[in-house]
Amino acid sequence: MTRGTDVLFRPFQLKGLDLKNRIVMAPMTRNMTEGGTPVARNADYYRRRAAGGVGLILSEGTVIDRPTSRNLPNIPLFHGEAALAGWKSVIDAVHGAGGRMGPQIWHTGSTRAGWEPDLPVESPSGLVGPGDARGRAMSEEDIADTIAAYARAAADARRLGFDVAELHGAHGYLIDQFFWDGTNVRQDRWGGATIRERARFAVEVVKATRAAIGPDFPLILRLSQWKQQDYTARLARTPAEMEDWLGPLSEAGVDVFHCSQRKFWVAEFPEIDGEDGLNFAGWAKKITGKPTISVGSVGLDGEFFSAFRGEGAPASPLDKLIARMEREEFDLIAVGRALISDPDWVRHVQAGAGAKGFAAADLAELV
Ligand SMILES: Cc1cc2nc3c(=O)[nH]c(=O)nc-3n(C[C@H](O)[C@H](O)[C@H](O)COP(=O)(O)O)c2cc1C
């Protein structure tokens, strides 16, 4: 029997952000804008999730003002008058339905997605994975301009009326390419043998962003150990390494760590606290003292990379999630695919009604 879900429906507050529940819509690329500008169908898609009761919506990744910041043509821009006007309609629609929302600010680095921008892609060392050359290594000037572009995007999020901004530092994209020694082999101050050294780029992005948005606007940073290039890659192999990674980011001005896992119930360091031990978000909260968001196969049987193989996933009970929320392992929980197929997933969960699960065919449209 599924346990009571009340623990998911407690309010949450951080700085000026007030959420009616603990459920976050995970950022999910849909590649369905008009050449980078969000249009009415995109605003309606997010409005439906707000009306469906999602506490905090994180947008699909939306890219900063750099020539090769996206790897597909209909990924939304978060710069330029037309795209920002489109985003203004999105946030107005979400607020109109009683929701809260932040953009996920992104640069895809050197990753491949089957489309080529006009110029060579950029990354820390001109690599997309260990020994896998692609594009060019960024110069000092590129790095400075990129840091400024992240900060400008976050400031624009605030100016447009968004409630929060998230920096995408996960999954093997640009910021993560600086973290990972498989893609950052630089010999200058942006590289180094330790995760603390390779975190410098992200720390500078966070500092510049914090300076641009002011002290009161909530800033989320999404991180992952795994990379799309290597699911088994790990940036922090011990809690001490995790402290080296997250400590400087926390000090630089991150308010919330969004800790991406493919299965939220998998323990981060089982050798320390067992197979049922703290997950990534649990350790991040313990180490930094900051609130955290967990994610990964909530309400579904089957993890999300199967979606890209065209596979759906049936609904599954929320007991494991509720148990972890009850012990306050993390503060918020992000839900991805379940919300692609069912905009009213939150209402259905609250009502104790059966959830729909995820159908891969729903990726072809904005349900
Ligand atoms: C279609 C799709 C697009 C995604 N795009 C992004 C993205 O733009 N940014 C990001 O951080 N994660 C992205 N993800 C990962 C999700 O945010 C989430 O972490 C993952 O789907 C696991 O959650 P789930 O099991 O509830 O689906 C995407 C996932 C899917 C299925």
Side-chain angles (χ1 to χ4, degrees):
M1 201 181 105
T2 300
R3 304 156 73 138
T5 57
D6 293 358
V7 71
L8 302 176
F9 291 92
R10 293 167 302 155
F12 177 79
Q13 237 195 329
L14 178 77
K15 297 187 170 173
L17 179 69
D18 56 319
L19 304 181
K20 61 186 167 214
N21 61 47
R22 302 303 179 102
I23 299 167
V24 176
M25 179 174 174
M28 283 178 290
T29 295
R30 304 307 308 272
N31 193 34
M32 288 192 204
T33 65
E34 294 282 341
T37 297
V39 291
R41 66 173 177 271
N42 306 106
D44 285 344
Y45 164 78
Y46 288 114
R47 184 189 44 72
R48 284 193 288 278
R49 273 75 190 164
V54 172
L56 175 66
I57 295 171
L58 294 172
S59 80
E60 58 206 287
T62 173
V63 298
I64 63 170
D65 188 9
R66 287 288 296 167
T68 62
S69 58
R70 61 183 161 169
N71 63 9
L72 285 172
N74 289 318
I75 285 175
L77 307 176
F78 209 81
H79 60 88
E81 224 173 285
L84 292 180
W87 279 116
K88 174 91 175 92
S89 324
V90 172
I91 186 57
D92 289 349
V94 164
H95 282 163
R100 299 281 180 271
M101 182 172 187
Q104 188 194 46
I105 298 169
W106 195 22
H107 183 315
T108 57
S110 58
T111 54
R112 297 185 176 96
W115 173 81
E116 291 294 329
D118 297 336
L119 294 167
V121 294
E122 61 183 1
S123 65
S125 301
L127 295 171
V128 63
D132 187 359
R134 174 163 156 79
R136 62 188 186 84
M138 292 166 80
S139 66
E140 274 291 332
E141 198 185 349
D142 293 326
I143 290 176
D145 188 66
T146 303
I147 291 170
Y150 277 109
R152 265 198 319 278
D156 281 336
R158 179 178 189 154
R159 185 172 57 76
L160 294 176
F162 283 95
D163 304 288
V164 46
E166 174 170 285
L167 297 169
H168 192 347
H171 303 172
Y173 297 106
L174 185 68
I175 292 177
D176 201 18
Q177 293 183 345
F178 276 89
F179 288 139
W180 190 26
D181 61 6
T183 40
N184 183 352
V185 296
R186 295 178 74 101
Q187 302 294 319
D188 61 7
R189 66 198 178 109
W190 302 105
T194 66
I195 181 64
R196 184 180 282 270
E197 291 165 292
R198 295 190 307 275
R200 179 193 292 268
F201 175 73
V203 166
E204 294 304 320
V205 169
V206 171
K207 279 189 189 160
T209 300
R210 176 53 72 200
I213 59 181
D216 300 329
F217 192 69
L219 180 63
I220 305 173
L221 175 62
R222 195 171 216 217
L223 299 172
S224 64
Q225 298 258 29
W226 65 269
K227 327 280 155 228
Q228 61 192 287
Q229 298 92 327
D230 178 359
Y231 299 151
T232 63
R234 293 187 85 188
L235 300 176
R237 292 174 190 284
T238 62
E241 281 186 357
M242 193 173 277
E243 199 163 345
D244 271 356
W245 180 25
L246 305 188
L249 292 164
S250 180
E251 271 172 40
V254 172
D255 293 310
V256 179
F257 287 95
H258 186 174
C259 303
S260 171
Q261 288 183 264
R262 292 183 294 155
K263 296 176 178 172
F264 73 85
W265 59 89
V266 173
E268 190 60 38
F269 301 117
E271 64 282 9
I272 295 175
D273 55 1
E275 295 296 334
D276 194 36
L278 295 179
N279 71 9
F280 180 16
W283 277 101
K285 184 176 164 103
K286 180 172 162 154
I287 284 171
T288 64
K290 298 268 170 91
T292 59
I293 309 174
S294 189
V295 65
S297 304
V298 170
L300 294 178
D301 208 359
E303 56 86 20
F304 87 98
F305 262 82
S306 59
F308 300 113
R309 297 192 298 265
E311 292 171 25
S316 76
L318 296 175
D319 304 58
K320 277 189 285 200
L321 171 65
I322 290 164
R324 283 178 187 257
M325 287 294 270
E326 280 173 352
R327 48 190 208 237
E328 307 211 15
E329 181 173 342
F330 41 80
D331 301 270
L332 299 161
I333 185 70
V335 176
R337 289 161 300 151
L339 274 166
I340 285 198
S341 288
D342 183 4
D344 289 319
W345 186 84
V346 176
R347 280 201 200 302
H348 290 147
V349 165
Q350 191 163 23
K356 258 175 73 175
F358 163 69
D362 294 336
L363 283 178
E365 54 181 320
L366 295 173
V367 173

